Amino acid sequence: MPEPYDPELGGPAEPKPYASEIGGSSEPKPYAPDELRALDRAHVWHPYGPMPGRQEPLIVESASGVRLRLAEPVEGQRELVDGMSSWWSAVHGYNHPVLNEAARGQLDRMSHVMFGGLTHEPAVRLATRLVEITPEPLQHVFLADSGSVSVEVAVKMCLQYWRSAGRPEKRRLLTWRGGYHGDTWQPMSVCDPEGGMHELWSGALPRQVFADAPPDGFDAEPDPAYVARLRELIAAHADEVAAVIVEPVVQGAGGMRFHSPAYLRVLREACDELDVLLVFDEIATGFGRTGKLFAAGHAGVSPDVMCVGKALTGGYLTMAATLCTSRVAEGISRGEVPVLAHGPTFMGNPLAASIASASVDLLLGQDWEGEVARIGAGLRSGLAAASDLPGVVDVRVLGAIGVVQLDHEVDMAAATRAAVREGVWLRPFRDLVYTMPPYVTGDDDVQRICRAVCAAAREG
Ligand SMILES: *Cc1c(COP(=O)(O)O)cnc(C)c1O
């Protein structure tokens, strides 16, 4: 039996000491914080960062429940409530006894074996579970090692489907602006071409077809003029487009924007009429974040291909999955090259797969809808104050996502400091201060996060 778990306090209370601290010799001596910082700066790339780094990263010693424990106090805080769920993945919080147990159990059987010619229960169980919980037409699962790779695989599936059908000219993608689909090459080509992080490569990337960003507002009535333009664009390019790829309902790293699920129904209809496949990238939205288990559920439509990642392993290890319909799988198999030519070394990693299954079971075994709604209500009340702050142009909440949009680029260092002073970890970007807390965040901590978002918006 797992130990009792209090999300406020976290799992096992004391982080494990390093072996060197208890006289063992198998682990190296820990670095002092100053040493660690100097070596980090000298040798280690950080996401979207220069080398050497400009911003001093905070040093995390351990994490438990919803709290990150720092190696030393910063702005008077040794522990920070995590408002980011480690880039939206750690939905159950850190050091969770159930996920730890799944990892330990699998570790003692095997951490990894190759997936070519071999299979194992963790991968089969996870794939079966994913087929059960995603929209019914999705029947086949490709386990990838990161979200970006799962998008690459989705694109490969779609292009290969049309090639197998004797229509190799259908090899472009269509998307709407404002999206984000990852950092490898094909995903970069469908990220927002302006303002995104991949502008630099605009001449080198495959040129895809872009519609305007969907009009703002989850509850907004669909705009008939936009719908007409979207349909026309798909129709105009149907001969060369293999698939439409979008993030359903919430555009995440491209700008934290919400749109009406009605546009997803428009895409589904247009794609069906015009012989184009539809890909939903649910890497950020999957596993309850928007209030439905998958955001496609808001629209009641099913894509031909769907990517999941981020929260799949509860934030423990890197794993993602690309699911497709039997039509897509059979279409590929009928081709001149009947196989999907993709197979990462760490495909189906048993350790990640075991944790992922445990994480999905943990989620579905609780009233996750109630928890997400509770956090959403807390964010709505706590962030209301932000509307009155100077420089704030919009405050929006959907599911367990809270966003404050500014009329200027946020001063990241100042905003981070303001949040840390409130005892909260946030990572604002562009003109956005936002939070996606773990679902186990208690009401008091949700309010603390809201105070930090407001402070960051004020001082950033
Ligand atoms: C994060 C993200 C990705 C990329 O996933 P990685 O695991 O970082 O490669 C792709 N699509 C969406 C919608 C994401 O939020």
Side-chain angles (χ1 to χ4, degrees):
M1 271 302 286
E3 301 161 48
Y5 180 63
D6 179 349
E8 297 290 319
L9 299 173
E14 283 301 306
K16 181 177 171 296
Y18 284 90
S20 54
E21 291 172 6
I22 53 174
S25 59
S26 62
E27 287 184 62
K29 182 178 174 300
Y31 291 117
D34 281 344
E35 242 178 319
L36 197 62
R37 240 187 313 273
L39 291 169
D40 185 87
R41 200 178 138 70
H43 302 302
V44 186
W45 286 103
H46 282 265
Y48 311 110
M51 192 78 249
R54 270 197 297 265
Q55 270 202 340
E56 291 238 302
L58 308 185
I59 303 170
V60 180
E61 191 178 75
S62 61
S64 197
V66 301
R67 285 179 160 71
L68 309 177
R69 184 169 172 79
L70 303 178
E72 61 202 336
V74 178
E75 300 288 330
Q77 306 286 349
R78 184 76 191 264
E79 286 194 336
L80 302 180
V81 173
D82 181 12
M84 303 304 297
S85 299
S86 277
W87 269 336
W88 329 345
S89 62
V91 290
H92 305 300
Y94 300 91
N95 215 341
H96 196 290
V98 171
L99 303 189
N100 287 4
E101 199 45 49
R104 272 194 214 101
Q106 187 55 42
L107 194 58
D108 288 337
R109 288 185 284 274
M110 62 190 172
S111 294
H112 185 64
V113 290
M114 64 185 283
F115 211 46
L118 301 176
T119 196
H120 45 74
E121 182 165 327
V124 174
R125 181 181 299 280
L126 176 63
T128 307
R129 198 78 170 112
L130 289 175
V131 168
E132 277 167 15
I133 66 174
T134 50
E136 202 275 329
L138 300 167
Q139 287 292 318
H140 310 288
V141 183
F142 189 101
L143 295 171
D145 29 18
S146 74
S148 301
V149 171
S150 76
V151 174
E152 297 278 0
V153 169
V155 171
K156 208 182 253 193
M157 281 178 179
C158 294
L159 267 60
Q160 202 172 335
Y161 173 86
W162 291 114
R163 182 173 282 256
S164 294
R167 301 184 66 182
E169 70 285 358
K170 278 168 79 71
R171 56 165 193 252
R172 288 181 83 187
L173 301 170
L174 188 150
T175 187
W176 46 39
R177 288 172 187 267
Y180 176 79
H181 297 282
D183 296 340
T184 59
W185 213 243
Q186 286 288 350
M188 272 166 70
S189 75
V190 281
C191 288
D192 190 68
E194 288 152 36
M197 290 170 280
H198 306 314
E199 232 174 321
L200 174 66
W201 296 107
S202 54
L205 290 169
R207 280 186 47 255
Q208 313 294 16
V209 183
F210 286 92
D212 291 339
D216 279 322
F218 177 78
D219 293 315
E221 284 296 313
D223 171 3
Y226 179 80
V227 167
R229 285 205 306 280
L230 192 58
R231 282 179 187 282
E232 275 162 32
L233 190 72
I234 299 172
H237 292 275
D239 287 347
E240 54 169 352
V241 163
V244 170
I245 176 170
V246 296
E247 294 158 279
V249 178
V250 175
Q251 293 183 299
M256 306 302 297
R257 299 168 75 241
F258 311 153
H259 56 257
S260 164
Y263 297 120
L264 304 172
R265 290 192 284 272
V266 170
L267 291 179
R268 182 68 279 178
E269 277 168 29
C271 287
D272 285 343
E273 262 167 49
L274 296 160
D275 259 359
V276 173
L277 295 171
L278 180 60
V279 182
F280 283 170
D281 177 348
E282 294 248 15
I283 292 168
T285 50
F287 305 103
R289 182 55 72 179
T290 69
K292 295 278 185 192
L293 192 55
F294 296 98
H298 289 290
V301 299
S302 174
D304 301 293
V305 178
M306 178 164 143
C307 299
V308 297
K310 288 202 162 95
L312 174 63
T313 63
Y316 268 52
L317 276 175
T318 176
M319 178 173 262
T322 313
L323 291 97
C324 74
T325 60
S326 297
R327 174 188 163 212
V328 170
E330 285 163 15
I332 290 171
S333 309
R334 271 198 297 271
E336 198 182 322
V337 181
V339 300
L340 185 68
H342 211 97
T345 306
F346 290 102
M347 185 167 177
N349 178 258
L351 204 49
S354 294
I355 297 168
S357 285
S359 176
V360 171
D361 289 348
L362 189 60
L363 182 70
L364 299 182
Q366 57 174 300
D367 177 19
W368 61 268
E369 262 174 309
E371 295 304 304
V372 169
R374 174 183 63 78
I375 291 174
L379 293 176
R380 233 170 243 117
S381 69
L383 295 180
S387 310
D388 302 330
L389 296 175
V392 169
V393 292
D394 192 38
V395 178
R396 50 186 181 266
V397 174
L398 180 69
I401 308 169
V403 184
V404 173
Q405 187 162 4
L406 309 175
D407 64 5
H408 56 274
E409 181 110 356
V410 63
D411 174 343
M412 186 122 96
T416 303
R417 225 178 301 119
V420 168
R421 212 175 295 134
E422 296 288 334
V424 173
W425 173 242
L426 296 176
R427 184 80 174 156
F429 70 104
R430 280 158 56 180
D431 54 353
L432 301 161
V433 183
Y434 76 99
T435 176
M436 291 203 187
Y439 303 161
V440 294
T441 311
D443 292 336
D444 291 348
D445 283 334
V446 172
Q447 290 317 309
R448 182 188 271 246
I449 290 172
C450 290
R451 286 196 296 278
V453 170
C454 291
R458 205 180 314 114
E459 293 175 42

